[in-house]
Amino acid sequence: MDINKLMNENLIDLDLKGETKLDVIKELIELLDKEGRLLDKETYYQDVLKREEIGSTGVEMGVAIPHGKSAGVKEPSLAFGRVKNGVDFESMDGVKSDLVFLIAVPENSDDTHIRILTSFARKLMHKEFRDGLRNAVNPAEIIELLNN
């Protein structure tokens, strides 16, 4: 999975302002939209919300991975944001999520989002990786971490 095709530094915000998971999702969708990765941001937003209704995308250890397969998405993309005090993504461990990855995949894609999720799940198990995401001072450091 080539991270450089999925994201760039403009799809990273190290200081998200949202106080709820919906606020944070909207901020990350805005990044995708500004980069021309979406065809229709409202359609994509609604599809992400539908996915959230199925079950929590808070995956524990302060990480959330909201995602959506949607006709509103132009190309497979990934946005990342950090939330200073975390927001409640209803994760199983009850910990607020301060590291949020938003996956956007076109509706007609195969299993791209599953491959992206699997790739991150392995990395996110490691405390050093999560700490690196939390301590990065600029988007370039995030890209470097994700590429390693």
Side-chain angles (χ1 to χ4, degrees):
M1 180 85 12
D2 185 358
I3 240 12
N4 298 312
K5 287 182 182 173
L6 293 174
M7 81 180 322
N8 60 49
E9 292 182 24
N10 296 328
L11 294 174
I12 298 171
D13 185 338
L14 300 180
D15 189 26
L16 293 172
K17 304 293 185 219
E19 295 182 11
T20 69
K21 74 177 180 178
L22 297 182
D23 292 340
V24 167
I25 288 169
K26 284 179 184 175
E27 283 182 84
L28 292 173
I29 286 175
E30 200 57 46
L31 295 179
L32 292 169
D33 193 46
K34 283 181 185 170
E35 276 298 289
R37 303 291 184 116
L38 302 178
L39 298 167
D40 182 335
K41 76 177 174 183
E42 185 57 31
T43 297
Y44 176 59
Y45 177 66
Q46 292 304 319
D47 288 332
V48 171
L49 292 187
K50 285 179 197 160
R51 172 57 191 85
E52 285 295 317
E53 289 171 9
I54 293 170
S56 171
T57 55
V59 293
E60 300 186 347
M61 299 170 288
V63 178
I65 311 177
H67 52 282
K69 206 172 187 181
S70 173
V73 176
K74 184 190 278 187
E75 61 187 292
S77 301
L78 178 68
F80 170 75
R82 260 188 343 219
V83 188
K84 186 175 182 179
N85 295 314
V87 295
D88 185 5
F89 266 86
E90 300 152 33
S91 64
M92 302 254 302
D93 63 1
V95 173
K96 288 184 175 182
S97 299
D98 62 329
L99 304 174
V100 184
F101 290 93
L102 177 66
I103 300 173
V105 181
E107 188 173 48
N108 58 0
S109 293
D110 48 16
D111 63 347
T112 303
H113 66 298
I114 302 298
R115 288 197 318 269
I116 297 168
L117 281 167
T118 303
S119 163
F120 283 116
R122 278 191 227 111
K123 290 181 180 195
L124 290 164
M125 297 303 293
H126 300 284
K127 184 180 184 317
E128 305 80 41
F129 180 72
R130 294 189 312 274
D131 288 347
L133 293 172
R134 287 185 174 106
N135 296 323
V137 295
N138 60 52
E141 287 183 35
I142 299 292
I143 299 277
E144 187 178 328
L145 271 168
L146 295 174
N147 274 317
N148 291 336

